[in-house]
Amino acid sequence: MRLGVLDVGSNTVHLLAVDAHRGARPLPAYSYKAALRLAELLDEGGAIGEEGVERLVNTIGEALEAAEDKGCEDVMAFATSAVRDATNADHVLTRVREETGADLQVLSGEDEARLTFLAARRWFGWSAGKLLLLDIGGGSLEIAYGIDEDPDAAVSLPLGAGRLTAAHLPGDPPDVQDVRALRRHVRARIGRSVGEFARFGPPDHVVGTSKTFRQLARIAGAARSADGLYVQRELSRTSLEEWVPKLASMTAEQRAGLPGVSADRATQLLAGALVAEAAMDLFDVSTLEIGPWALREGVILRRLDRLPPS
């Protein structure tokens, strides 16, 4: 069957259509993506402005039309931190439902972490042992740890690259003092959660998912996305520590010229790098592997698990 998953994230609205059935690997068939950067459209009161809501409604409508054109039998639509944290979330969800027919399910931060962990576990398998997952989105950082498919611990922190950039790094390039202040803020926030995971012992394998980790690995020398899903890609803390001051000295336009960095993500790459560096340092991670599957795949896998046996 062909399934669609519509992910309304803090950076993008992304429709992924896959051909799948229970017990099989879902095969990507079509992808539609639009950059809205909702995390940066929140006003001072924490609401998504009417212009942002209008753009969101139109984009979801276009994505649903694409899903219909591509033969999706069902579309699972969900929203993450940008909508979840908006003070006018109910208004946004009502507008979307009334004007597009999509009933967006708002995932909790812990649900995000658990579903992304499931995707990483299925990709890397049982041989990965105790798995530590780090995922940096536009609005939040998800951390999960465990040896089974359901993690023993999972948290979501308000440390997304888009959210932090909008709130803490107004300059281009950013002011040195702003970067230092953000570094302290990020490390203090992650530091409060380290103890919750430390009691389980060190992980056997550490995985980083999300566009931020992929871009950081790419500028540090990892293979291109065009080389395929099965090429191993890693990011070392040493490389990241070398790149953070370089990124801090660059303008967004200069960062967009780096290999693998898209123009729409260049502005927030520094904030993402500060979060990645802090997480790897505080969790004592020397190297992590980039995981190609993340939240969307986790949603699909959970849906397939609930299908009756064929």
Side-chain angles (χ1 to χ4, degrees), residues 58 62 74 76 85 90 128 175 215-216 240 242 292 308:
N58 291 337
E62 292 171 2
D74 188 21
M76 299 163 285
D85 298 338
D90 289 343
D175 183 81
Q215 291 186 336
L216 291 172
L240 191 52
E242 292 174 354

Side-chain angles (χ1 to χ4, degrees), residues 155-173:
V155 300
S156 178
L157 307 178
L159 298 176
R163 180 198 298 265
L164 295 178
T165 300
H168 298 275
L169 299 177
D172 186 27

